[in-house]
Amino acid sequence: MNEMKCSYCNNEAIEEAYGKAYCKKHFNNYFLGRVRSIIDKFKIKGKIAVALSGGKDSSACFYALHNLKLELVPFYINLGIKNYSDICQEKAEELCQQLGYELNVIYLADYGIELEKYKKPCSTCGTAKRYLMNKFAYENGCKYIATGHNLSDIVTFAMNNFISGNILNFRGNKPYLQGKEEYKLVAKIKPLFWLKDKECMLYTWINELAYAEEECPYSINAPTIKIKEWLNRLEAEKEGTLMNIARSLWKLEEKMEKDVKLNLCSNCGYVSYGKICKFCKIRKK
Ligand code: Q46
Ligand code: ZN
Ligand code: ZN
């Protein structure tokens, strides 16, 4: 069998992307280049709180930002999910040790929230994660929060909203969301915006980064699994489809962006769309 050569050197290629073949070293360069394009475009400078979930994407995101020599503060939110959260925390700790950082851990249980008691655990989880990420970043003087959302996830999530008729839930489909100091709202970046699932997996493998293979028990049977498979088939038939959809989403998002009215929650003092924020409402239930 013919060995495929890297398009940039004579070494054996391990991956092909958009008409080029890459050896290990040049794949790392390609990956970092995609991340750097976002960091440069939005002139990201200053402390970044990096959300680690223990999964491959946040590990890849953290490692790429570390290689770009940015100022990073890694943190992990322990959601208290049995046979899952503690394993993920161990992996996040292992990764921090590999890279020479100390991991900050936030426990959802400290806020009196047990996901298994809620009818829609994923919706509670989403609200809690958004709130706690922002609070952690704000209290630690970070200018940004970096999350490991990759291209495949972003397009899948948007398609899921589109298919379910929730076109107006299209928020957040761009790599940078501005913060608002007066509302204690920290800016968010998605450094993996241009990188597909399988590319993040490969980056994690070849750099031997610690990550958990476990899936959250609540994600089994999620409708997004089928949507992702369908999108992957489209991408396999016509490479670049995911990227083109993401470009369209970004444009749409900019057109749809209106000045959303923000408040400060009368209970906790953080950003809110109403008088009391969603997180405080969950805690009160
Ligand atoms: S929302 Fe739902 Fe995820 Fe939270 S409860 Fe698990 S599957 S972790 S991204
Ligand atoms: Zn090469
Ligand atoms: Zn509140």
Side-chain angles (χ1 to χ4, degrees):
M1 207 167 69
N2 263 351
E3 179 182 278
M4 187 172 48
K5 294 277 185 206
C6 171
S7 307
Y8 298 91
C9 70
N10 218 15
N11 288 336
E12 186 189 343
I14 55 162
E15 175 68 338
E16 273 184 293
Y18 309 104
K20 293 271 182 343
Y22 296 93
C23 67
K24 185 175 160 185
K25 174 183 154 202
H26 287 109
F27 178 76
N28 270 333
N29 288 353
Y30 155 82
F31 195 96
L32 220 50
R34 296 256 140 162
V35 173
R36 192 185 287 114
S37 72
I38 287 172
I39 300 300
D40 290 350
K41 180 169 174 57
F42 298 101
K43 301 188 174 61
I44 306 295
K45 230 198 270 157
K47 245 196 216 178
I48 307 175
V50 185
L52 294 184
S53 68
K56 69 173 195 330
D57 299 317
S58 60
S59 293
C61 175
F62 184 29
Y63 185 62
L65 296 176
H66 168 78
N67 280 322
L68 292 177
K69 312 224 171 335
L70 293 154
E71 197 186 338
L72 309 177
V73 186
F75 69 98
Y76 173 78
I77 302 175
N78 188 313
L79 300 164
I81 300 171
K82 277 189 206 115
N83 303 323
Y84 177 66
S85 294
D86 291 344
I87 301 170
C88 293
Q89 182 173 330
E90 267 173 38
K91 290 295 174 186
E93 265 159 9
E94 202 181 314
L95 179 66
C96 285
Q97 261 171 21
Q98 280 181 316
L99 304 182
Y101 293 80
E102 206 168 305
L103 181 68
N104 299 276
V105 182
I106 302 154
Y107 293 88
L108 189 57
D110 287 348
Y111 293 85
I113 296 176
E114 284 175 60
L115 289 179
E116 57 189 32
K117 292 194 175 153
Y118 291 81
K119 235 197 251 156
K120 290 184 177 170
C122 285
S123 146
T124 305
C125 175
T127 302
K129 280 194 289 196
R130 274 191 298 277
Y131 180 88
L132 294 171
M133 272 188 216
N134 184 63
K135 181 172 155 69
F136 173 82
Y138 186 83
E139 285 175 355
N140 286 279
C142 297
K143 274 182 77 182
Y144 312 92
I145 301 163
T147 58
H149 295 106
N150 67 36
L151 178 63
S152 314
D153 294 331
I154 290 159
V155 176
T156 302
F157 177 73
M159 277 299 152
N160 187 35
N161 278 327
F162 197 78
I163 291 167
S164 348
N166 297 324
I167 192 170
L168 294 177
N169 271 3
F170 261 20
R171 306 257 21 226
N173 292 307
K174 46 183 214 173
Y176 175 70
L177 290 172
Q178 230 179 349
K180 287 200 169 114
E181 176 66 38
E182 66 277 32
Y183 291 107
K184 298 191 186 175
L185 179 66
V186 181
K188 290 202 186 73
I189 49 169
K190 296 187 182 90
L192 306 181
F193 191 85
W194 296 125
L195 289 149
K196 292 183 257 190
D197 240 352
K198 65 167 193 161
E199 295 174 318
C200 297
M201 189 73 253
L202 187 59
Y203 189 67
T204 310
W205 271 343
I206 60 176
N207 294 297
E208 297 174 12
L209 307 176
Y211 76 96
E213 287 181 43
E214 278 72 13
E215 299 283 344
C216 175
Y218 294 114
S219 71
I220 296 160
N221 298 329
T224 45
I225 295 176
K226 286 257 172 297
I227 297 174
K228 196 179 255 187
E229 283 170 7
W230 169 68
L231 284 167
N232 284 342
R233 283 201 299 278
L234 281 182
E235 177 70 15
E237 270 174 37
K238 192 171 185 304
E239 198 180 33
T241 302
L242 288 179
M243 216 185 251
N244 283 336
I245 299 176
R247 274 199 199 100
S248 304
L249 288 170
W250 185 349
K251 283 184 198 155
L252 246 178
E253 170 103 20
E254 291 200 328
K255 290 260 177 239
M256 281 168 42
E257 240 171 26
K258 282 185 234 119
D259 250 349
V260 189
K261 187 142 174 18
L262 298 177
N263 290 305
L264 288 173
C265 169
S266 59
N267 191 48
C268 70
Y270 275 92
V271 66
S272 170
Y273 295 104
K275 211 168 157 270
I276 294 184
C277 79
K278 271 173 137 183
F279 186 71
C280 286
K281 280 185 190 156
I282 287 174
R283 291 187 71 191
K284 277 193 175 162
K285 260 188 199 164

